[in-house]
């Protein structure tokens, strides 16, 4: 089946190339009766945009004005498909004409040609990060449903850039710095490091981010293949540049014994408590109600001004240095995208649980 | 949608509880004309079974005799659903009667009750590792198709148990030791460590395994949501006990610069070569033709004889020590399961690429 | 996608060839908590079996003993896949050896070879009517859910055989005669006609049946493509021998004016009433709450003892007369199958409506 | 699953309300490399538009200018989602304000309120026939693929309006008259009849149309549930106003004996011939290669100026006469829609057959 649809009951289909006329998403399966305005979606879209004046993100600047083309009537969702669209404006396609016949290393140029026979090379075409704009628009609706119906909140933060790791956690700091980092001291160091790598070295750098789902509904996830952690892993790995996903203790669980890793349970004050959260909020593919914790390994931005070896479309050896308006470290801009993907998964599974509860 | 189906064109649906009469799988979408015998499937099933006399795996012993109930005629697949079944024999259900009203920590007991209202507690019911037998039966067919049509080979090996890491790689060693470890020296140490943890400490231990797909077809994977790495991540995270997945450089990419991480390309001897494989075999969700490299973080077996805190079904505080016939370190037995899941993903994407190529 | 799965949330996958070891179905998505016994399913299976001693149905006799292999624990569904199986017993495969190389007219022999390259010719293999046994097993569960949760009842009856049409309707007569006909006078004539066609002429005859869904839930169906009538049409046309489907006035609507066909509405006694039911119970793809009325055109049984022209597998001209144990008129045996398909569609849509209602 | 998606490999998702800003469709799964222009799609869209000056269709006039927003680069499809959009222009929404609180008989007003709790009442919102514009845009691409790759041609024609039936068949006449009728004498009578019903009686009339698929590929269709005839039946019944579907002999098969209905086969001139086509081009759910023949029963347009009984949203009895710009007989305008649906089904199944052929 074609690959541009995500979700089963709350289902999105995205479309659009980086330098085509527009980028959009259809949300099919949003139940009727949700109050919804373009402004609410716009707010999330703004979080994904490059920060004006920032030295660590791309300088591409677009208004990214969200339009609702269907599915909302008199301020409420009607139960019919919601079509959202944003025009592409700042598309300097000629920037790309010279790489038309070259494969940029670590980009999808080579593989798109392998798969499709040719490609829209302008700005990466469909493989561009601009596609994630559609995910964020849809995610804004999913986030609203979760907040309103289950008081679930999703946020992400940068926990490592290169070798620099955070040492403190203060959630209120996250949206105050360009790195979306909960440790302002680390954030300042990370920023300095990124600027040096970008402007002095003409290079880029990888990072690790963490996504936290606070107060998730209990009982979500569909064993055995559609386990909550499996769906989340797919959702995250479908974001370009994400090369690793772990839940709870993750890879560290390899070094733990069962007596250390098993999250013990107690009843206290009338409530069930887990004494630890190594599971990261799921057991057997189903949410326990504890925070869901996901960490993502992000590769460095492939586009760098250092020259690297590559081949041309006609298989000749050459070198390439990618000049242009690129991010240097993707962590802060991937965060709203990853939050959106988490929200889409949870909303879908929450709706599925309605069905599971139907005979009780 | 219900969660017991995996794949789109080559699609499997598994069924069966640990202590029910049987465990099975339907493979729908296997094209007609593949030579297939029960013996071929049996061979893979044997690789998943506990090793007789082993001190590191469960002592549950079943013949696990594979029966083909449909879809094969005169030794060839007919294009209709292939139904495979294995009887459950060695089911000592009374072993479990005492935990009927208790939630075993790090097991799915609590969450199955949350989700479904009650559960088949015998041997973990549907959440038992026995379910993976169905995956291995289906995976055997997928592996055969890949080997025959694209010369693709998939194998897994243990690369870490607790803090012990492999230091050498000799592929021919893998199936010679109980750990499925390519470093026989490390394997011996791992075995000793596991026996100590199991028999002296009454505990269990985590591990890391690596899955390698040699000679994969080029151009597989469906951007944007059904990227090859996204499907593989889901496939792997759907295996109980897997808590982390990474491709290529994985989390280590966080510490790399673009100039280090980007896999450069050259043309040499009439062929395209990548100078490194940090990507792990995919770019933009599509296979490059390089080896596909996946590493999985495996949590320690939850069932241990050390007593731990937990609650009863009626929410009373208590302690539990799980005696029984359990594995101590899951790595060697998860390997054939993970190989199978990889084979299912690849076969499905290979069939999808037939469609993509249809207008050229 | 492979074609042996039906439904989205309440989803069945069937398997089995006519002369293979068994026939079965997996029901994935049946919510937990439904009381269920094999005996209840058996009851519906009996309605589909050839009637002992009947002169109008096949003489193939099998016990058709239903086994529940998974998904039910302590008498209730667990929310995990329900695997149902019936052994194939009375399979005289040698009856078919002579037609191994011939294409029986109006059978699927020719097209299975076209599609798959070869076929299991024994008893029609997968294209045999025996496959509908799996549908009836699954349908029994769907019927139970509908009856229990929404008081919906589904029944079918024969309204025409050849040129003979029913003139009266008495629902209590339906299960009293071999034709499943609500008009006992017509039923007697139909039976006589069928016996003559079968034994004197060595021929078979077509029929029309009607499926009635009493007291369906309101608001079911998913515009625009998955309209309730569209799903029902597909469900019915997927039954072998069904060549026509109509809802409500159906083809007769072609001769009506809007003022005649439009079902007017009034409020009376506190309830909404429709003054007619030309729509057959749906408007715009959604159930109105009125009876859902479907009529099916059934072709004559292809297997007849009159010789007809056909070709061999190697494309030589020949003649064929199908001797064997065949039905003559399929109407009474298709009724439980069509009821089952209707029940599957309704249950699926009823579960989907749970999702639609979630934000209100 | 939400209902606005059709197809599996060649998959469309439509969106848009009658009086919203636009109507659109995403085609996901169109393989790369098909030459495609907006003009080609426009041509089919024109066939669906009301005929200027016609007295038998609506007077709503819109340019319906097709825009390609993604998925095509340098005149060829790229393998990524194709987004097509048409602006809605001639939307006199105030026409509908008076029916905001009334349920128009035989429309979806009542059922949309039942299902969703409220509705976009302007022009029928999502239940408007304008939605079929999206199907025709997608169908244009499917038709092009079929013509180019398999030389398959699909056309429809009106065979009955009220009691008036065609008596002759001349394919070249079809697009020459407003009725899309292959019998010009009958067409003239039909037109006269419709004008009388519309202008003198203020009423509307039903019809029967036939869809013919010439030269279809052999071997298409996926037994058992996704039989070609089952998919076609769903496709057709998903079109508003279609109340009946039959294949080949259809309901008439009820009156036939096996010896009459069975299509005999002979080999002649090196080719396989069927001596009749009662099956309508499929056996066992798979295409034989003969013409595929489908007939559709179309109900009269619900909107008429004769007053009829209905109820208000608050359940009060009232009367309604629908004045406005409505069609009187839908047959000619449904034809391109039904052709499109047939093309979508066939293209999807043709792509699926690529997969089936992969191991041979």
């Amino acid at each position: 089946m074609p690959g541009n649809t995500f979700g089963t009951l709350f289902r999105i289909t995205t479309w659009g190339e980086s330098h085509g006329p527009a980028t959009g998403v259809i949300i099919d399966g949003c139940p009727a009766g949700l109050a919804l305005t373009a402004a609410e979606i716009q707010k999330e879209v703004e979080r994904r945009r490059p920060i004006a004046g920032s030295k660590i993100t791309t300088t591409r600047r677009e208004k990214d004005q969200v339009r609702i083309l269907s599915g909302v009537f008199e301020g409420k969702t009607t139960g019919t498909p919601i079509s959202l669209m944003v025009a592409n404006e700042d598309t300097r396609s000629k920037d790309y004409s010279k790489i038309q016949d070259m494969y940029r290393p670590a980009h999808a140029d080579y593989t798109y040609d392998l798969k499709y026979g040719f490609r829209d090379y302008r700005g990466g075409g469909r493989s561009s990060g601009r596609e994630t704009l559609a995910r964020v628009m849809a995610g804004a609706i999913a986030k609203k449903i979760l907040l309103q119906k289950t008081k679930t909140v999703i946020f992400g933060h940068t926990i490592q850039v290169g070798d620099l790791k955070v040492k403190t956690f203060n959630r209120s700091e996250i949206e105050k710095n360009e790195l979306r980092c909960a440790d302002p001291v680390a954030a300042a160091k990370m920023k300095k490091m990124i600027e040096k790598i970008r402007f002095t070295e003409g290079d880029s750098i990888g990072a690790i981010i963490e996504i936290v789902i606070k107060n998730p509904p209990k009982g979500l996830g569909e064993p055995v293949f559609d386990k909550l952690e499996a769906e989340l892993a797919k959702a995250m790995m479908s974001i370009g540049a994400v090369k690793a996903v772990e839940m709870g203790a993750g890879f560290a669980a390899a070094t733990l014994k069962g007596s250390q890793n098993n999250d013990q349970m107690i009843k206290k004050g009338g409530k069930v408590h887990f004494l630890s959260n190594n599971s990261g909020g799921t057991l057997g593919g189903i949410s326990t109600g504890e925070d869901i914790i996901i960490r993502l390994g992000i590769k460095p931005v492939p586009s760098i001004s250092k020259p690297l070896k590559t081949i041309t479309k006609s298989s000749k050896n050459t070198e390439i240095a990618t000049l242009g308006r690129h991010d240097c470290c993707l962590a802060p801009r991937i965060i709203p995208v990853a939050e959106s993907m988490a929200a889409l998964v949870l909303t879908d599974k929450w709706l599925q649980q309605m069905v599971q509860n139907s005979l009780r």
Side-chain angles (χ1 to χ4, degrees), chain A:
Chain A
M1 289 198 306
N4 297 281
T5 293
F6 188 81
T8 54
L9 294 174
F10 191 89
R11 189 157 59 166
I12 73 167
T13 301
T14 70
W15 58 269
E17 278 80 47
S18 180
H19 290 222
T23 295
V25 61
I26 313 302
I27 299 107
D28 196 8
C30 182
L34 181 75
L36 187 68
T37 64
E40 290 169 296
I41 300 165
Q42 193 69 46
K43 215 171 134 187
E44 283 294 320
V45 165
E46 295 303 317
R47 290 185 63 229
R48 184 199 157 276
R49 288 177 66 200
I51 301 153
S54 167
K55 286 183 175 159
I56 67 173
T57 57
T58 171
T59 56
R60 181 168 169 174
R61 295 284 172 270
E62 309 190 48
K63 275 197 308 240
D64 287 352
Q65 192 71 39
V66 177
R67 285 188 69 198
I68 300 178
L69 296 176
S70 70
V72 177
F73 182 60
E74 297 182 342
K76 284 192 299 181
T77 59
T78 57
T80 63
I82 302 170
S83 176
L84 304 176
M85 191 171 89
V86 158
N88 294 332
E89 293 166 342
D90 186 12
T91 53
R92 306 188 197 159
S93 297
K94 62 189 166 208
D95 283 7
Y96 294 93
S97 56
K98 55 186 157 188
I99 54 149
Q100 177 173 351
D101 295 319
M102 276 186 185
Y103 295 132
R104 292 169 298 164
H107 273 286
D109 303 344
Y110 175 62
T111 49
Y112 267 60
D113 269 8
L114 277 180
K115 182 173 194 70
Y116 301 111
F118 78 116
R119 72 188 197 280
D120 178 352
Y121 52 81
R122 301 166 306 160
R126 181 69 181 151
S127 74
S128 163
R130 187 149 179 87
E131 172 271 329
T132 60
L133 173 54
R135 306 186 187 207
V136 170
M137 289 194 280
I141 302 176
K143 279 184 173 182
K144 181 165 188 187
I145 291 172
L146 291 171
L147 182 62
Q148 188 170 300
K149 303 299 287 189
T150 70
K151 296 192 172 34
T152 302
V153 171
I154 301 174
F155 67 90
H157 58 122
T158 301
I159 61 173
Q160 186 173 335
V161 174
D163 290 319
L164 271 171
K165 297 181 188 181
V166 290
K167 287 179 178 157
T168 61
F169 176 81
N170 184 342
R171 189 173 149 195
S172 66
E173 291 290 335
I174 296 171
E175 296 288 323
K176 289 186 188 157
N177 59 72
E178 283 180 56
L179 265 302
R180 292 204 159 99
C181 183
D183 172 351
V185 178
K189 288 182 191 164
M190 288 169 178
K191 194 182 165 185
K192 219 164 169 177
M193 184 209 232
I194 291 170
E195 286 176 3
K196 178 171 165 286
I197 290 169
R198 188 180 201 183
F199 297 109
T200 312
E201 305 178 19
D203 215 329
S204 63
I205 188 74
I208 300 179
I209 63 174
E210 183 174 80
I211 303 296
V212 180
I213 306 174
K214 302 285 297 181
N215 199 35
K218 294 175 182 181
L220 303 195
E222 299 296 322
V224 300
F225 295 110
D226 298 344
K227 289 187 168 88
L228 190 56
E229 52 267 43
E231 299 282 28
L232 286 166
K234 176 175 174 177
M236 297 305 159
M237 275 287 208
S238 78
I239 304 171
V242 173
K243 298 302 290 181
V245 181
E246 63 180 14
M247 300 278 302
F251 275 109
T255 63
L256 297 179
K257 295 182 180 171
S259 58
Q260 299 166 313
N261 183 68
N262 288 2
D263 299 315
Q264 300 183 65
M265 301 169 77
I266 58 163
K267 183 75 175 283
K268 201 174 141 187
K271 282 192 171 169
V272 172
H273 290 271
F274 285 85
L275 299 181
S276 53
N277 189 12
N278 288 314
S279 79
T282 66
L283 285 172
I286 302 167
S287 61
T288 61
E290 297 295 290
D291 289 357
I292 296 172
I293 309 288
I294 312 157
R295 273 178 302 279
L296 309 181
I298 315 285
K299 76 175 185 183
V301 173
S303 299
I304 56 174
S305 49
K306 274 195 177 171
L308 293 177
K309 285 180 186 158
T310 193
I311 58 169
T312 65
K313 207 170 169 175
S314 48
S315 279
K316 292 205 173 115
N317 285 312
T318 184
E319 285 209 336
I320 191 166
T322 313
L323 304 170
R325 302 167 297 163
H326 301 286
D327 292 290
C328 170
C329 176
L330 288 166
R333 293 193 68 201
I334 282 188
I335 284 171
V337 179
E339 290 169 3
S340 293
M341 294 308 295
L344 290 167
V345 170
L346 249 78
T347 301
D348 203 22
K349 295 299 174 200
W350 177 72
L351 292 173
Q352 287 189 47
Q353 189 60 14
M354 302 271 150
V355 176
Q356 184 52 252
N357 293 335
S358 61
L359 298 189
R360 284 190 275 172

